[in-house]
Amino acid sequence: NSNGTQLSSFSARPSPTFRRSRQAFVWLCCFHTRVRGQLRLREKSEPKRIVAAKVLAAKTDSIHQLYPNEAIICMGDFNDYPDNRSLTEFLPTGETDMLANLMSGLKEAKRGSYNYRGDWDFLDQIIVSRSLIDGNLPDIVSGSTAPFFTDSMLYTHPKYGDVKPKRTYGGPEYLGGYSDHLPVYTILAY
């Protein structure tokens, strides 16, 4: 749309291996990019991510009202960390909320999907309905959520020694990678 926010969704009836009458509602998200540099410029991009979070919250709430036991999965590049306002205030994922952010608390593992100035964290999220973490199938396998990477997906800066995801370009230098973010995954048991 005009503010640069992409929010794609689809719903699919899963294979017969899911419990009968279970549906999965999936949103693939790419929220507005973070602006680097001066604080006042960064603050200009946050409202756009908040708008996207509000839209996503309204959509997931509507689905939850109609189908309270169905699986909801929101994943992608949210361009905010799990503890940023768009994900804590406007797309509530706290202990008593309908959704849970699987990336919350993973920073302690010293790895994330993104590295900014030596600090690993998650700009890429997997957010699910609590029905996927309640112990009843289908369910997220506990401890299975993580960034995916191989050594070939990482770049070590020759001067500073910091390790980051291997992007295509680092300034004018061609690095031959794919993205400045690592993919994230989780395992769903059913």
Side-chain angles (χ1 to χ4, degrees):
N1 65 21
S2 62
N3 71 3
T5 301
Q6 298 175 354
L7 186 64
S8 301
S9 68
F10 67 89
S11 66
R13 185 153 307 274
S15 71
T17 55
F18 265 70
R19 280 190 290 168
R20 219 183 267 235
S21 81
R22 288 300 300 256
Q23 296 183 67
F25 296 90
V26 178
W27 279 268
L28 305 175
C29 304
C30 183
F31 284 15
H32 194 277
T33 189
R34 296 172 81 87
V35 178
R36 292 187 187 149
Q38 298 174 351
L39 181 60
R40 65 181 175 80
L41 293 177
R42 285 195 310 249
E43 289 173 349
K44 282 186 170 185
S45 67
E46 181 186 43
K48 294 177 181 179
R49 291 187 302 281
I50 288 173
V51 166
K54 286 179 179 179
V55 169
L56 184 58
K59 297 284 187 183
T60 56
D61 186 59
S62 294
I63 293 297
H64 183 70
Q65 295 301 319
L66 291 170
Y67 309 101
N69 298 316
E70 302 302 338
I72 295 173
I73 303 170
C74 310
M75 59 185 169
D77 183 356
F78 286 70
N79 273 307
D80 264 337
Y81 299 117
D83 60 353
N84 287 156
R85 291 180 61 220
S86 69
L87 299 175
T88 58
E89 294 178 33
F90 300 99
L91 186 63
T93 55
E95 291 292 321
T96 60
D97 293 311
M98 166 189 76
L99 299 173
N101 188 340
L102 301 181
M103 309 333 264
S104 292
L106 292 183
K107 183 179 179 179
E108 288 73 31
K110 303 293 186 223
R111 183 66 70 182
S113 65
Y114 186 76
N115 184 325
Y116 181 68
R117 296 186 176 173
D119 187 26
W120 285 96
D121 207 336
F122 289 92
L123 291 178
D124 308 278
Q125 315 295 326
I126 301 174
I127 298 171
V128 300
S129 56
R130 294 222 173 258
S131 65
L132 286 175
I133 58 170
D134 64 2
N136 297 311
L137 296 180
D139 208 54
I140 301 296
V141 175
S142 180
S144 70
T145 306
F148 174 81
F149 64 95
T150 62
D151 288 343
S152 67
M153 298 169 72
L154 300 173
Y155 170 77
T156 303
H157 195 283
K159 183 175 178 181
Y160 304 111
D162 57 333
V163 177
K164 296 182 175 199
K166 190 179 203 178
R167 56 180 50 192
T168 306
Y169 283 93
E173 181 184 359
Y174 180 74
L175 303 175
Y178 296 101
S179 176
D180 60 340
H181 296 231
L182 293 173
V184 294
Y185 72 94
T186 196
I187 298 172
L188 179 66
Y190 53 94

